[in-house]
Amino acid sequence: MDFDVIVIGSGLAGLASALTAKERGAADILLVESEGVLGGSTRLSGGVVMGSRSRLQREAGIEDGGDDLFKEYMAINVWDVAAGPVERWAARSGETIDWLADHGVPFYERLIFSGDDRRPRGHCVNGGGQAIVDALVPRCREAGIEFLLGNRVDELVHDNGRVTGVRAGGEELTCGSVIVATGGFGANPEHLAAHYPIAWIPGETFYIGADGARGDHLRFAGQVGAAVTGENRGLRMLNPGVDTMHEAFLPGWTILVDDRGQRFCDETAPYGILDSLLKPRGDVGYVVFDHAALRPPPGLAERYGDAYKQIWPNHAKFKPKHYTADVMEQFSGHERVHSAESLEALARSAGLPEADFAGTVARYNQLVEAGEDTDFGKAARFLNPISTAPFYAVEVRPTAIAHTGYGLRIDDHARVIGVDGNVIEGLYAAGECTGGIVGPTYSGSGSSLASAAGVGRMAGEAAARAVLAARV
Ligand SMILES: Cc1cc2nc3c(=O)[nH]c(=O)nc-3n(C[C@H](O)[C@H](O)[C@H](O)COP(=O)(O)OP(=O)(O)OC[C@H]3O[C@@H](n4cnc5c(N)ncnc54)[C@H](O)[C@@H]3O)c2cc1C
């Protein structure tokens, strides 16, 4: 046999599983990466990792109940996830953060709210996702893990229901266990159209992750009869369709209305929530604001400048990318960008029902006047009137793809399950290539890296256990 364990993919899932397999006793480990650079989408990421009951969380004085993360994750996903693997991953999420920190991942002391969680669980890495890769790769090399770059694994080799190796570039490499950690399929339009159709608008949908996210796990699944799950799951962010610049959050001084001209949420909601809220609304929304927000009157610049709930220690203060005077001027006349001197004219231009839209804005201005958003609970500091012409309505759709969630079905030890219901011997999976971990609502910043690291560790442990057992 050439190796004890072969890991496919060098993102956080691959690095965490390789290092863990080594720590748990596997001797010869090879990590194969298709691209010329290590790190996949992980290295491009914001580097926020969700975790409950880590040392950092305790040191920050934040109390988190034993299974609160699991319960909140189940609730936000209306139980529509693979509860077994999710429970094990969530229960060990704090320990996984500690493990990453012990391996040199430079977390800030201050935690943030990951999404709609009850307490801060977002652990932010100084240097973002690249710093995670920069910390773990040297650890892997020191541990003797071999890296093979620029080699795309084409095929899983299997014999009698058991995976026994991989084929890459015409060469076959044999091993005791294979861990698939190939990321998602955002870079593959055919897979997006087939498996994430609610995200697919030809000519408009764009992906913000790594080039290597081509969905090779789906080909592997076909080769070995693995079960796949998680159709239409992932993360879509709102975009006006004028460019491919992704913008994670809406400024607090906007209102978001549906095609009936009605407001439906606190506009400062996490992006995963906004994604979910648009689904039953035909995946179309209109971001509405006024001239004062673009060119604040004297004395109000600071008030309008404080536009975001989310403040990340590893990120410059968020600033609007699309909702600025320059962009509105540049795209004036674009079919998605509407402006008018009156709310009625704006509604006509955007195709919204005039009376309903005018009523929505009037109601919002009353709430602003009263100083409290008793309809949707947006924080008072974001409440500014929409009353200074010209008015703007920008049509947005969830077309910026940051994550895909259709992938290999795994058990609570990251073992891949076959379509026949049996575990496929010798095969494990972790990270974005798995299915059933992301539910109908993307639960917040940090959940993907947390599952890549946590399930990656589970896969490394299980693969090493199998290798050691085979030696006896
Ligand atoms: C801009 C951006 C910001 C993000 N920010 C955050 C964040 O702050 N927090 C968070 O939790 N999530 C975030 N995410 C999501 C998160 O980064 C990913 O879900 C996570 O990194 C996936 O890790 P992974 O190890 O599963 O896959 P990846 O990191 O994508 O690694 C997979 C690797 O496998 C390689 N590969 C694929 N096929 C093959 C093959 N056949 N043979 C060999 N190699 C192959 C790929 O080239 C790639 O290097 C963000 C995503 C993006 C795009």
Side-chain angles (χ1 to χ4, degrees):
M1 199 185 308
D2 297 317
F3 296 95
D4 281 343
V5 179
I6 294 179
V7 177
I8 315 173
S10 68
L12 181 52
L15 295 171
S17 59
L19 197 50
T20 303
K22 187 75 186 182
E23 289 174 346
R24 295 302 171 105
D28 303 313
I29 301 178
L30 175 71
L31 193 150
V32 191
E33 167 56 53
S34 59
E35 310 306 296
V37 56
L38 295 169
S41 291
T42 300
R43 85 187 165 84
L44 306 175
S45 75
V48 182
V49 193
M50 184 191 280
S52 158
R53 304 200 306 155
S54 65
R55 282 197 306 261
L56 281 163
Q57 200 192 35
R58 279 197 303 275
E59 283 162 16
I62 301 160
E63 281 186 31
D64 210 350
D67 59 359
D68 283 6
L69 169 57
F70 171 63
K71 285 193 169 148
E72 287 172 38
Y73 196 89
M74 293 302 283
I76 201 168
N77 285 301
V78 285
W79 288 35
D80 198 357
V81 287
V86 166
E87 182 169 22
R88 188 143 187 273
W89 153 69
R92 303 174 70 203
S93 59
E95 181 198 307
T96 295
I97 301 277
D98 297 347
W99 181 86
L100 290 170
D102 290 343
H103 282 297
V105 175
F107 288 107
Y108 285 93
E109 284 174 16
R110 191 167 73 75
L111 274 66
I112 62 167
F113 284 94
S114 279
D116 187 36
D117 31 14
R118 286 201 205 130
R119 45 194 67 76
R121 297 192 177 112
H123 297 69
C124 301
V125 176
N126 184 353
Q130 184 66 57
I132 300 177
V133 178
D134 291 346
L136 295 186
V137 169
R139 290 295 171 126
C140 289
R141 290 199 198 279
E142 284 160 24
I145 293 164
E146 285 181 49
F147 286 85
L148 191 58
L149 266 84
N151 260 275
R152 185 173 177 188
V153 171
D154 304 308
E155 201 179 331
L156 298 182
V157 180
H158 58 112
D159 179 28
N160 226 357
R162 181 184 177 86
V163 172
T164 56
V166 304
R167 200 166 283 125
E171 197 188 344
E172 187 172 312
L173 298 166
T174 58
C175 63
S177 297
V178 171
I179 300 174
V180 180
T182 48
F185 55 82
N188 184 328
E190 286 82 30
H191 282 331
L192 281 174
H195 308 299
Y196 200 2
I198 60 164
W200 182 242
I201 301 180
E204 196 174 330
T205 296
F206 62 100
Y207 176 56
I208 62 169
D211 294 344
R214 303 184 195 93
D216 286 357
H217 60 288
L218 301 175
R219 192 173 67 236
F220 300 156
Q223 292 162 358
V224 300
V228 278
T229 184
E231 202 101 43
N232 265 333
R233 301 284 167 86
L235 173 62
R236 315 171 303 166
M237 296 199 217
L238 308 188
N239 193 271
V242 296
D243 56 24
T244 53
M245 184 166 59
H246 93 277
E247 180 159 19
F249 305 106
L250 292 178
W253 36 253
T254 63
I255 61 168
L256 181 63
V257 304
D258 60 17
D259 61 4
R260 295 175 307 158
Q262 292 182 7
R263 198 175 164 230
F264 53 91
C265 66
D266 169 354
E267 290 76 10
T268 64
Y271 37 66
I273 303 282
L274 290 178
D275 173 352
S276 273
L277 284 170
L278 275 206
K279 285 177 198 167
R281 294 177 168 80
D283 281 331
V284 183
Y286 298 82
V287 179
V288 178
F289 47 94
D290 71 353
H291 184 69
L294 301 184
R295 300 236 184 258
L300 289 181
E302 214 167 299
R303 183 169 174 86
Y304 281 96
D306 175 24
Y308 296 92
K309 192 162 66 182
Q310 295 79 5
I311 300 168
W312 297 2
N314 62 346
H315 200 289
K317 197 174 167 195
F318 288 105
K319 287 199 175 123
K321 290 182 181 172
H322 291 106
Y323 313 106
T324 70
D326 289 348
V327 174
M328 288 306 108
E329 201 174 302
Q330 186 186 347
F331 291 103
S332 164
H334 188 283
E335 58 178 358
R336 300 270 173 90
V337 177
H338 307 272
S339 66
E341 290 301 316
S342 74
L343 290 168
E344 289 73 13
L346 185 67
R348 278 196 300 280
S349 170
L352 299 171
E354 274 176 53
D356 299 64
F357 178 67
T360 293
V361 177
R363 167 85 188 156
Y364 184 70
N365 285 338
Q366 285 165 22
L367 299 174
V368 171
E369 180 74 31
E372 192 180 1
D373 178 8
T374 48
D375 284 354
F376 296 103
K378 183 158 71 179
R381 70 181 211 265
F382 301 126
L383 299 178
N384 293 301
I386 296 179
S387 55
T388 309
F391 301 99
Y392 298 87
V394 178
E395 186 181 326
V396 289
R397 290 164 190 268
T399 49
I401 311 305
H403 182 103
T404 59
Y406 179 70
L408 301 165
R409 189 185 280 279
I410 54 168
D411 74 0
D412 60 341
H413 291 276
R415 296 179 294 198
V416 175
I417 301 173
V419 285
D420 61 2
N422 295 318
V423 159
I424 299 177
E425 295 299 327
L427 189 62
Y428 306 83
E432 209 174 314
C433 66
T434 59
I437 307 296
V438 176
T441 297
Y442 186 85
S443 82
S445 328
S447 56
S448 305
L449 290 174
S451 100
V455 179
R457 291 179 69 229
M458 282 152 58
E461 286 166 5
R465 240 190 339 266
V467 164
L468 296 182
R471 279 196 202 140
V472 179

